[in-house]
């Protein structure tokens, strides 16, 4: 797989030229080849809206047990592709396996989400480096199992959380609405914060490289908390670390296809794309289609961006909005997706109708 990516890619100055076609609709689009329809996958497509996931989850132990049991994680990854004609599978894991592997306590409380031991400035130096990758061996085995079980025309997407987003959880010990604890930490302890970001950048590069080596075709950087930052902080905490990850991964895997998802980037989305070097950019559902088309060069591919709650309700409003997104992005490379993760109460019939609409109009 690595040699395939290395041999296919070529450059002209700093502009990527399309690689040879692979026969995988989504991967080919990321690599620069137009498709007759948008490829489609759904963020959190393997998860709680599926009864087969809920049944398996009851037998798996803790959420991290599920993430670290390759046979179960591979089964969860493949479940949605058995139901729906999606163009890609995305690795079933979690962004917080990274701090877990770096030696921080991570647990998931039922109904409350992740809980971590909040990191202090003096703790940063004790974080594990690449030696912590051994803890993630089950994740790489999951990738290999999924690759073996996935139809050859389907793309396999790997991922990690971007450093700022992961740092917000490590600092606060949980998700927060405004990332206030992390924003204060960055201002009050700039040296410790910079060291934390450096550690996360280096670990994320190694983690993504190993995902490619295990069999992933594309990776996505989830910058889930890119909002609530002024433009200076956005450049320092979002753009710069993501650029370093893109550069670091491609130093090891030349031409590695990478999608960036800076949720809440708003007016800074064009700068994010230009300065990070990602192949395509995911758009949250608050991003107007017309603004994205105006702000981004036509050569930039986009992913998104239907509001997940429209799929919960379904009906004509869902169909109308989905068609308007597809039509709005018809002049550029476009992966159809939601603008955030699918929610547990989503009816399966609505997902089926949405995917059929993307396929057939």
């Amino acid at each position: 797989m690595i040699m395939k990516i290395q041999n296919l890619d070529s450059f002209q100055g700093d502009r990527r030229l399309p690689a040879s076609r692979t026969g995988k609709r989504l991967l080919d689009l990321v690599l620069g080849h137009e498709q007759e329809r948008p490829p489609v996958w759904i963020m959190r497509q393997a998860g709680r809206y599926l009864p087969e996931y809920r049944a398996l989850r009851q037998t798996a132990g803790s959420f991290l047990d599920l993430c670290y049991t390759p046979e179960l994680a591979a089964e969860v990854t493949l479940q949605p592709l058995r139901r729906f004609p999606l163009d890609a599978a995305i690795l079933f894991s979690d962004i917080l396996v990274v701090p877990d592997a770096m030696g921080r306590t991570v647990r998931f409380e039922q109904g409350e989400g992740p809980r971590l031991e909040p990191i202090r400035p003096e703790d940063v130096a004790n974080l594990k480096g690449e030696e912590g990758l051994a803890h993630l061996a089950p994740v790489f085995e999951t990738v290999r199992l999924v690759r073996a079980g996935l139809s050859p025309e389907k793309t396999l997407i790997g991922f990690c959380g971007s450093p700022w987003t992961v740092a917000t959880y490590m600092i606060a010990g949980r998700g927060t609405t405004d990332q206030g604890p992390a924003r204060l930490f960055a201002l009050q302890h700039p040296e410790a914060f910079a060291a934390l970001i450096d550690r996360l950048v280096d670990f994320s590069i190694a983690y993504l490289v190993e995902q490619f080596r295990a069999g992933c075709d594309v990776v996505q950087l989830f910058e889930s908390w890119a909002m609530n930052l002024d433009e200076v902080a956005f450049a320092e905490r979002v753009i710069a670390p993501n650029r370093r990850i893109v550069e670091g991964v491609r130093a090891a895997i030349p031409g590695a296809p990478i999608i960036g998802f800076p949720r809440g980037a708003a007016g800074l989305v064009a700068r994010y794309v230009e300065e990070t070097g990602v192949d395509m950019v995911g758009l949250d559902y608050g991003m107007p289609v017309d603004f994205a088309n105006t702000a981004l060069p036509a050569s930039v591919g986009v992913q998104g961006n239907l509001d997940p709650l429209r799929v919960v309700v379904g009906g004509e409003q869902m169909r109308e909005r989905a068609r308007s997104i597809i039509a709005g992005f018809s002049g550029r490379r476009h992966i159809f997706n939601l603008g955030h993760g699918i929610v547990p109460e989503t009816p399966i019939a609505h997902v089926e109708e949405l995917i059929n609409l993307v396929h057939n109009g």
Side-chain angles (χ1 to χ4, degrees), residues 28 45 113 129 137 148 176 238 269 274 294 313:
D28 282 343
Q45 65 189 26
T176 58
V238 172
V269 66
E274 179 182 359
T294 300
V313 175

Side-chain angles (χ1 to χ4, degrees), residues 159-336:
F159 71 92
C160 76
S162 292
W164 164 248
T165 290
V166 176
T168 65
Y169 287 97
M170 294 177 74
I171 292 166
R174 60 191 300 169
T176 58
T177 57
D178 64 354
Q179 300 77 57
R183 289 159 59 202
L184 285 171
F185 187 105
L187 296 172
Q188 294 170 338
H189 309 287
E191 292 184 1
F193 180 77
L196 174 58
I197 293 296
D198 286 345
R199 296 284 187 116
L200 287 168
V201 166
D202 291 343
F203 197 98
S204 299
I205 291 169
Y207 181 41
L208 292 175
V209 167
E210 289 303 314
Q211 290 185 43
F212 273 116
R213 289 176 175 161
C216 287
D217 299 303
V218 179
V219 297
Q220 177 159 307
L221 300 175
F222 279 91
E223 192 68 274
S224 303
W225 296 115
M227 68 283 284
N228 295 321
L229 295 173
D230 62 41
E231 59 186 304
V232 174
F234 187 92
E236 293 173 349
R237 303 173 200 170
V238 172
I239 290 177
N242 281 272
R243 178 177 64 242
R244 290 166 58 194
I245 291 175
V246 171
E247 292 171 349
V249 171
R250 288 184 180 152
I253 311 290
I258 301 174
I259 301 169
F261 179 53
R263 185 166 74 101
L268 293 168
V269 66
R271 185 176 175 186
Y272 171 90
V273 173
E274 179 182 359
E275 297 186 20
T276 61
V278 295
D279 293 285
M280 298 187 70
V281 61
L283 306 177
D284 60 79
Y285 57 83
M287 176 70 69
V289 172
D290 287 346
F291 176 82
N293 280 328
T294 300
L296 297 170
S299 60
V300 173
V302 298
Q303 177 177 274
N305 64 333
L306 186 68
D307 182 346
L309 295 189
R310 289 187 178 275
V311 191
V312 174
V313 175
E316 184 55 31
Q317 61 81 30
M318 178 187 76
R319 294 190 291 270
E320 181 179 352
R321 180 59 182 160
R323 290 191 181 105
S324 70
I325 290 170
I326 293 169
F329 290 133
S330 62
R332 66 173 71 238
R333 289 178 298 134
H334 176 217
I335 298 170
F336 189 89

Side-chain angles (χ1 to χ4, degrees), residues 19-46:
S20 301
R21 292 182 182 271
T22 68
K24 300 178 181 183
R25 186 186 299 272
L26 190 145
L27 175 59
D28 282 343
L29 188 82
V30 177
L31 291 173
H33 299 287
E34 298 288 346
Q35 304 291 310
E36 70 275 13
R37 65 158 175 84
V40 56
W41 69 280
I42 295 172
M43 280 190 278
R44 294 182 185 164
Q45 65 189 26

Side-chain angles (χ1 to χ4, degrees), residues 120-183:
R120 302 167 299 176
E122 59 268 28
D123 297 328
V124 175
N126 296 322
L127 291 171
K128 293 180 181 179
E130 287 190 33
E131 70 274 15
L133 280 179
H135 188 74
L136 299 180
V139 177
F140 308 133
E141 179 61 19
T142 298
V143 174
R144 287 187 282 269
L145 291 174
V146 173
R147 179 83 277 163
L150 196 60
S151 299
E153 75 278 8
K154 305 294 186 181
T155 299
L156 177 52
I157 303 172
F159 71 92
C160 76
S162 292
W164 164 248
T165 290
V166 176
T168 65
Y169 287 97
M170 294 177 74
I171 292 166
R174 60 191 300 169
T176 58
T177 57
D178 64 354
Q179 300 77 57
R183 289 159 59 202

Side-chain angles (χ1 to χ4, degrees), residues 11-157:
F11 292 86
Q12 183 175 34
D14 61 356
R15 180 181 176 82
R16 183 197 294 269
L17 297 176
S20 301
R21 292 182 182 271
T22 68
K24 300 178 181 183
R25 186 186 299 272
L26 190 145
L27 175 59
D28 282 343
L29 188 82
V30 177
L31 291 173
H33 299 287
E34 298 288 346
Q35 304 291 310
E36 70 275 13
R37 65 158 175 84
V40 56
W41 69 280
I42 295 172
M43 280 190 278
R44 294 182 185 164
Q45 65 189 26
R48 292 176 292 172
Y49 73 108
L50 294 176
E52 56 267 39
Y53 170 83
R54 295 194 298 268
L56 187 149
R57 177 72 181 84
Q58 290 181 348
T59 68
S62 73
F63 179 75
L64 282 178
D65 288 337
L66 179 55
C67 291
Y68 290 145
T69 306
E71 293 78 9
L72 297 182
E75 168 64 19
V76 171
T77 301
L78 292 168
Q79 282 176 347
L81 280 87
R82 297 193 186 110
R83 276 192 179 269
F84 314 118
L86 297 155
D87 292 298
I90 183 166
L91 168 67
F92 180 81
S93 186
D94 193 85
I95 65 171
L96 296 182
V97 300
V98 166
D100 189 53
M102 295 176 79
R104 304 303 294 173
T105 300
V106 179
R107 67 186 191 279
F108 287 79
E109 299 288 348
Q110 186 69 29
E112 296 184 9
R115 294 291 182 268
L116 295 82
E117 176 188 5
I119 196 167
R120 302 167 299 176
E122 59 268 28
D123 297 328
V124 175
N126 296 322
L127 291 171
K128 293 180 181 179
E130 287 190 33
E131 70 274 15
L133 280 179
H135 188 74
L136 299 180
V139 177
F140 308 133
E141 179 61 19
T142 298
V143 174
R144 287 187 282 269
L145 291 174
V146 173
R147 179 83 277 163
L150 196 60
S151 299
E153 75 278 8
K154 305 294 186 181
T155 299
L156 177 52
I157 303 172

